[in-house]
Each structure stands twice: as C-alpha cells, then as structure tokens.
Amino acid sequence: QLATAYDNSGDPEKAIEIYTKALEKYPFDYLLYYNLGVTYSNQNEFEKSVECFQNAIINNPFHSTSHLSLGKLMARQGLLTKAIISLEIFLELEPESERSNIVLVYLNELADNHIDTAWGEPIVPFTDNEIFSEVDHFIKSGIALKDNFKTGIKFKASIVNQTVLLFRSLPFDTKSEDFWVKMYFPFLKAVKEGDFIKPYIFTLLSSSGHETVVKYNKRKKKDLAKFY
C-alpha cells in the first residue's frame, strides 16, 4: 500500500525501492510482482515490467490481470501469438467480468491484424520471438480468415479462426525454455489432446452475449464442466 501510494503521488523511484525490499522478505507474493510491473510499465521500463508480470504468473497462474498486462505488452510489440495466448488465458480465467468484453473485442481486432492503441502506442520489440515467428507469419497472412479455412465451429469471428489455427500450428514438441512454452503449452496441449477446443473457444466468447454462444453454454454444460 505504501509503495502504491508513492507511485500514485508521483514518486515511482521510491515505490520501486519499497516493492523491491518487500520482495526480499516475501519473494512469492504475486501482487508485489504485479504492482512493481505496473510501476515499471508506467515508467516505460517495459523489459522489467514483463519480467515482473511473468513472475506474478509463476507465483499465481490464476491471477488474470497479470496475463492481461503481459498480453497487452506483447500486442504493443506486434508479437501476435504471444499476445493472443496471454489474452486468451485472461478470458479463460475471467470470461464474463465487466472488462471481459473489452478484452474480447481487442483480441478480435488482433486476430484481424489490427492493434488498437487504446492500451498504448506500439513499442520496439524487445522480447525474443524466434520460436513463434512462423506462427506469427501464419496469423499475419490471414490464411485462417479465408472462406475455405474450416474450423468446425459454427461461429463467425476472426478470433475463432485464428485460435483454431494456433492449435494446429503451435510447436508443442519444442524443448524451448521460452516463458510462453513453459507456462502455457502444458495447458494448451491438454486442451488440444483432450478435444476441448470448442469449450475453450466458447468460454472465450462468453462475454459476447451472442445467441449462439449462450445456447452452446447452456446445452454443453457437461462438456464445459469437463473442460473446467
């Protein structure tokens, strides 16, 4: 609280000092990492911010806001695969809150290769993206948005098509130590192998309020329960 007060009063250096000291005493406190990440982000120290959000997620994978914050910073770098994964995990954890639909709309624009600057102007990429460069190329090419791309899901939205493409294209067998590989791949691989892609996607779409989504979520409660 003290660090946040310093940050809000215009003294981020003091806030960072206090957060850092607190983390020496409480090294597994995910909220300390998250708040420190916010302070760094506000100071445009994005590399440190990303590291903090990742540490917050490592210490609490269910902290949806850390996934959201990480996804925003990836989107601002134009790293579409990493951005989409983090933002989708946010929506899996928080499918129907007050902010969910805003994120869903933002995510769908990303799937259309449009990065909304409402959450910040583009920044020069600093995050290594070698493992996902090919998948990014597939997303940017728009191949999944063509009429002949079949998803097997009766809902028309760019994010649906691009998500199906992701599950077909992600290098699940890689031995990379990349954060997205280590943190997200076990879950995403289990979704694919467990035949849970439809429940995954319709959970993403929950905040749309669309009739098709509402009907699916009512009709497929057993499938959704297995997925959850």
PDB file of all heavy atoms in Angstrom, residues 4-24:
ATOM      1  N   THR A   4       2.417   1.722  -3.444  1.00  0.00           N
ATOM      2  CA  THR A   4       1.398   2.208  -4.377  1.00  0.00           C
ATOM      3  C   THR A   4       1.108   3.682  -4.135  1.00  0.00           C
ATOM      4  O   THR A   4       0.926   4.455  -5.086  1.00  0.00           O
ATOM      5  CB  THR A   4       0.101   1.385  -4.234  1.00  0.00           C
ATOM      6  OG1 THR A   4       0.391   0.006  -4.493  1.00  0.00           O
ATOM      7  CG2 THR A   4      -0.955   1.854  -5.225  1.00  0.00           C
ATOM      8  N   ALA A   5       1.083   4.071  -2.875  1.00  0.00           N
ATOM      9  CA  ALA A   5       0.834   5.479  -2.544  1.00  0.00           C
ATOM     10  C   ALA A   5       1.950   6.370  -3.105  1.00  0.00           C
ATOM     11  O   ALA A   5       1.676   7.446  -3.652  1.00  0.00           O
ATOM     12  CB  ALA A   5       0.733   5.645  -1.028  1.00  0.00           C
ATOM     13  N   TYR A   6       3.194   5.912  -2.965  1.00  0.00           N
ATOM     14  CA  TYR A   6       4.308   6.679  -3.540  1.00  0.00           C
ATOM     15  C   TYR A   6       4.179   6.757  -5.067  1.00  0.00           C
ATOM     16  O   TYR A   6       4.403   7.817  -5.664  1.00  0.00           O
ATOM     17  CB  TYR A   6       5.653   6.038  -3.159  1.00  0.00           C
ATOM     18  CG  TYR A   6       6.195   6.515  -1.838  1.00  0.00           C
ATOM     19  CD1 TYR A   6       6.338   5.642  -0.764  1.00  0.00           C
ATOM     20  CD2 TYR A   6       6.583   7.850  -1.656  1.00  0.00           C
ATOM     21  CE1 TYR A   6       6.842   6.081   0.464  1.00  0.00           C
ATOM     22  CE2 TYR A   6       7.083   8.295  -0.437  1.00  0.00           C
ATOM     23  CZ  TYR A   6       7.214   7.405   0.612  1.00  0.00           C
ATOM     24  OH  TYR A   6       7.711   7.840   1.825  1.00  0.00           O
ATOM     25  N   ASP A   7       3.812   5.657  -5.664  1.00  0.00           N
ATOM     26  CA  ASP A   7       3.666   5.632  -7.124  1.00  0.00           C
ATOM     27  C   ASP A   7       2.583   6.600  -7.575  1.00  0.00           C
ATOM     28  O   ASP A   7       2.767   7.393  -8.505  1.00  0.00           O
ATOM     29  CB  ASP A   7       3.332   4.206  -7.586  1.00  0.00           C
ATOM     30  CG  ASP A   7       3.540   4.014  -9.078  1.00  0.00           C
ATOM     31  OD1 ASP A   7       4.174   4.877  -9.719  1.00  0.00           O
ATOM     32  OD2 ASP A   7       3.084   2.991  -9.612  1.00  0.00           O
ATOM     33  N   ASN A   8       1.450   6.564  -6.887  1.00  0.00           N
ATOM     34  CA  ASN A   8       0.323   7.430  -7.258  1.00  0.00           C
ATOM     35  C   ASN A   8       0.608   8.904  -6.991  1.00  0.00           C
ATOM     36  O   ASN A   8      -0.003   9.783  -7.606  1.00  0.00           O
ATOM     37  CB  ASN A   8      -0.944   7.003  -6.515  1.00  0.00           C
ATOM     38  CG  ASN A   8      -1.467   5.662  -6.992  1.00  0.00           C
ATOM     39  OD1 ASN A   8      -1.137   5.218  -8.086  1.00  0.00           O
ATOM     40  ND2 ASN A   8      -2.272   5.012  -6.168  1.00  0.00           N
ATOM     41  N   SER A   9       1.534   9.171  -6.072  1.00  0.00           N
ATOM     42  CA  SER A   9       1.844  10.570  -5.747  1.00  0.00           C
ATOM     43  C   SER A   9       2.984  11.122  -6.602  1.00  0.00           C
ATOM     44  O   SER A   9       3.425  12.250  -6.392  1.00  0.00           O
ATOM     45  CB  SER A   9       2.193  10.699  -4.262  1.00  0.00           C
ATOM     46  OG  SER A   9       3.397  10.010  -3.983  1.00  0.00           O
ATOM     47  N   GLY A  10       3.449  10.299  -7.555  1.00  0.00           N
ATOM     48  CA  GLY A  10       4.463  10.785  -8.486  1.00  0.00           C
ATOM     49  C   GLY A  10       5.889  10.513  -8.083  1.00  0.00           C
ATOM     50  O   GLY A  10       6.813  11.215  -8.518  1.00  0.00           O
ATOM     51  N   ASP A  11       6.093   9.495  -7.228  1.00  0.00           N
ATOM     52  CA  ASP A  11       7.457   9.148  -6.822  1.00  0.00           C
ATOM     53  C   ASP A  11       7.699   7.657  -7.108  1.00  0.00           C
ATOM     54  O   ASP A  11       7.804   6.839  -6.182  1.00  0.00           O
ATOM     55  CB  ASP A  11       7.647   9.437  -5.332  1.00  0.00           C
ATOM     56  CG  ASP A  11       9.117   9.386  -4.907  1.00  0.00           C
ATOM     57  OD1 ASP A  11       9.950   8.935  -5.727  1.00  0.00           O
ATOM     58  OD2 ASP A  11       9.421   9.778  -3.768  1.00  0.00           O
ATOM     59  N   PRO A  12       7.792   7.288  -8.399  1.00  0.00           N
ATOM     60  CA  PRO A  12       7.942   5.860  -8.742  1.00  0.00           C
ATOM     61  C   PRO A  12       9.247   5.261  -8.234  1.00  0.00           C
ATOM     62  O   PRO A  12       9.296   4.061  -7.940  1.00  0.00           O
ATOM     63  CB  PRO A  12       7.894   5.869 -10.275  1.00  0.00           C
ATOM     64  CG  PRO A  12       8.291   7.257 -10.672  1.00  0.00           C
ATOM     65  CD  PRO A  12       7.751   8.139  -9.597  1.00  0.00           C
ATOM     66  N   GLU A  13      10.308   6.074  -8.136  1.00  0.00           N
ATOM     67  CA  GLU A  13      11.584   5.553  -7.656  1.00  0.00           C
ATOM     68  C   GLU A  13      11.448   5.012  -6.232  1.00  0.00           C
ATOM     69  O   GLU A  13      11.970   3.943  -5.901  1.00  0.00           O
ATOM     70  CB  GLU A  13      12.671   6.636  -7.705  1.00  0.00           C
ATOM     71  CG  GLU A  13      13.102   7.049  -9.103  1.00  0.00           C
ATOM     72  CD  GLU A  13      12.135   8.026  -9.761  1.00  0.00           C
ATOM     73  OE1 GLU A  13      11.228   8.540  -9.055  1.00  0.00           O
ATOM     74  OE2 GLU A  13      12.271   8.265 -10.970  1.00  0.00           O
ATOM     75  N   LYS A  14      10.749   5.789  -5.382  1.00  0.00           N
ATOM     76  CA  LYS A  14      10.532   5.339  -4.006  1.00  0.00           C
ATOM     77  C   LYS A  14       9.637   4.103  -3.973  1.00  0.00           C
ATOM     78  O   LYS A  14       9.874   3.177  -3.177  1.00  0.00           O
ATOM     79  CB  LYS A  14       9.887   6.472  -3.189  1.00  0.00           C
ATOM     80  CG  LYS A  14       9.779   6.179  -1.697  1.00  0.00           C
ATOM     81  CD  LYS A  14      11.142   6.079  -1.035  1.00  0.00           C
ATOM     82  CE  LYS A  14      11.008   5.892   0.473  1.00  0.00           C
ATOM     83  NZ  LYS A  14      12.339   5.745   1.123  1.00  0.00           N
ATOM     84  N   ALA A  15       8.639   4.076  -4.855  1.00  0.00           N
ATOM     85  CA  ALA A  15       7.751   2.917  -4.927  1.00  0.00           C
ATOM     86  C   ALA A  15       8.540   1.666  -5.295  1.00  0.00           C
ATOM     87  O   ALA A  15       8.386   0.605  -4.672  1.00  0.00           O
ATOM     88  CB  ALA A  15       6.650   3.172  -5.958  1.00  0.00           C
ATOM     89  N   ILE A  16       9.406   1.780  -6.294  1.00  0.00           N
ATOM     90  CA  ILE A  16      10.220   0.641  -6.724  1.00  0.00           C
ATOM     91  C   ILE A  16      11.121   0.166  -5.592  1.00  0.00           C
ATOM     92  O   ILE A  16      11.289  -1.038  -5.367  1.00  0.00           O
ATOM     93  CB  ILE A  16      11.046   1.022  -7.975  1.00  0.00           C
ATOM     94  CG1 ILE A  16      10.111   1.198  -9.181  1.00  0.00           C
ATOM     95  CG2 ILE A  16      12.106  -0.032  -8.271  1.00  0.00           C
ATOM     96  CD1 ILE A  16      10.768   1.825 -10.389  1.00  0.00           C
ATOM     97  N   GLU A  17      11.682   1.110  -4.856  1.00  0.00           N
ATOM     98  CA  GLU A  17      12.548   0.763  -3.725  1.00  0.00           C
ATOM     99  C   GLU A  17      11.784  -0.068  -2.690  1.00  0.00           C
ATOM    100  O   GLU A  17      12.286  -1.082  -2.178  1.00  0.00           O
ATOM    101  CB  GLU A  17      13.084   2.041  -3.075  1.00  0.00           C
ATOM    102  CG  GLU A  17      13.961   1.808  -1.862  1.00  0.00           C
ATOM    103  CD  GLU A  17      14.324   3.098  -1.142  1.00  0.00           C
ATOM    104  OE1 GLU A  17      14.357   4.173  -1.806  1.00  0.00           O
ATOM    105  OE2 GLU A  17      14.564   3.058   0.081  1.00  0.00           O
ATOM    106  N   ILE A  18      10.568   0.357  -2.386  1.00  0.00           N
ATOM    107  CA  ILE A  18       9.773  -0.340  -1.364  1.00  0.00           C
ATOM    108  C   ILE A  18       9.317  -1.713  -1.862  1.00  0.00           C
ATOM    109  O   ILE A  18       9.386  -2.709  -1.134  1.00  0.00           O
ATOM    110  CB  ILE A  18       8.569   0.523  -0.944  1.00  0.00           C
ATOM    111  CG1 ILE A  18       9.071   1.773  -0.215  1.00  0.00           C
ATOM    112  CG2 ILE A  18       7.624  -0.273  -0.046  1.00  0.00           C
ATOM    113  CD1 ILE A  18       7.998   2.800   0.057  1.00  0.00           C
ATOM    114  N   TYR A  19       8.845  -1.776  -3.118  1.00  0.00           N
ATOM    115  CA  TYR A  19       8.452  -3.066  -3.679  1.00  0.00           C
ATOM    116  C   TYR A  19       9.631  -4.049  -3.652  1.00  0.00           C
ATOM    117  O   TYR A  19       9.469  -5.226  -3.315  1.00  0.00           O
ATOM    118  CB  TYR A  19       7.986  -2.910  -5.132  1.00  0.00           C
ATOM    119  CG  TYR A  19       6.594  -2.343  -5.293  1.00  0.00           C
ATOM    120  CD1 TYR A  19       6.348  -1.323  -6.206  1.00  0.00           C
ATOM    121  CD2 TYR A  19       5.515  -2.845  -4.560  1.00  0.00           C
ATOM    122  CE1 TYR A  19       5.073  -0.801  -6.386  1.00  0.00           C
ATOM    123  CE2 TYR A  19       4.232  -2.339  -4.731  1.00  0.00           C
ATOM    124  CZ  TYR A  19       4.019  -1.307  -5.642  1.00  0.00           C
ATOM    125  OH  TYR A  19       2.760  -0.803  -5.819  1.00  0.00           O
ATOM    126  N   THR A  20      10.816  -3.561  -4.009  1.00  0.00           N
ATOM    127  CA  THR A  20      11.996  -4.420  -4.067  1.00  0.00           C
ATOM    128  C   THR A  20      12.351  -4.955  -2.686  1.00  0.00           C
ATOM    129  O   THR A  20      12.667  -6.141  -2.521  1.00  0.00           O
ATOM    130  CB  THR A  20      13.191  -3.650  -4.671  1.00  0.00           C
ATOM    131  OG1 THR A  20      12.837  -3.174  -5.978  1.00  0.00           O
ATOM    132  CG2 THR A  20      14.407  -4.541  -4.776  1.00  0.00           C
ATOM    133  N   LYS A  21      12.289  -4.075  -1.687  1.00  0.00           N
ATOM    134  CA  LYS A  21      12.565  -4.507  -0.312  1.00  0.00           C
ATOM    135  C   LYS A  21      11.515  -5.514   0.159  1.00  0.00           C
ATOM    136  O   LYS A  21      11.834  -6.486   0.856  1.00  0.00           O
ATOM    137  CB  LYS A  21      12.598  -3.304   0.620  1.00  0.00           C
ATOM    138  CG  LYS A  21      13.851  -2.440   0.483  1.00  0.00           C
ATOM    139  CD  LYS A  21      13.833  -1.282   1.472  1.00  0.00           C
ATOM    140  CE  LYS A  21      15.112  -0.446   1.363  1.00  0.00           C
ATOM    141  NZ  LYS A  21      15.083   0.711   2.303  1.00  0.00           N
ATOM    142  N   ALA A  22      10.276  -5.278  -0.201  1.00  0.00           N
ATOM    143  CA  ALA A  22       9.193  -6.190   0.189  1.00  0.00           C
ATOM    144  C   ALA A  22       9.403  -7.573  -0.426  1.00  0.00           C
ATOM    145  O   ALA A  22       9.168  -8.600   0.227  1.00  0.00           O
ATOM    146  CB  ALA A  22       7.854  -5.612  -0.232  1.00  0.00           C
ATOM    147  N   LEU A  23       9.861  -7.596  -1.681  1.00  0.00           N
ATOM    148  CA  LEU A  23      10.065  -8.880  -2.356  1.00  0.00           C
ATOM    149  C   LEU A  23      11.236  -9.652  -1.758  1.00  0.00           C
ATOM    150  O   LEU A  23      11.278 -10.886  -1.852  1.00  0.00           O
ATOM    151  CB  LEU A  23      10.284  -8.659  -3.860  1.00  0.00           C
ATOM    152  CG  LEU A  23       8.987  -8.437  -4.651  1.00  0.00           C
ATOM    153  CD1 LEU A  23       9.278  -7.881  -6.040  1.00  0.00           C
ATOM    154  CD2 LEU A  23       8.209  -9.749  -4.756  1.00  0.00           C
ATOM    155  N   GLU A  24      12.158  -8.949  -1.141  1.00  0.00           N
ATOM    156  CA  GLU A  24      13.247  -9.650  -0.447  1.00  0.00           C
ATOM    157  C   GLU A  24      12.695 -10.431   0.748  1.00  0.00           C
ATOM    158  O   GLU A  24      13.188 -11.502   1.084  1.00  0.00           O
ATOM    159  CB  GLU A  24      14.303  -8.641   0.016  1.00  0.00           C
ATOM    160  CG  GLU A  24      15.103  -8.031  -1.133  1.00  0.00           C
ATOM    161  CD  GLU A  24      16.043  -6.928  -0.659  1.00  0.00           C
ATOM    162  OE1 GLU A  24      16.086  -6.667   0.565  1.00  0.00           O
ATOM    163  OE2 GLU A  24      16.725  -6.327  -1.516  1.00  0.00           O
TER     164      GLU A  24
END
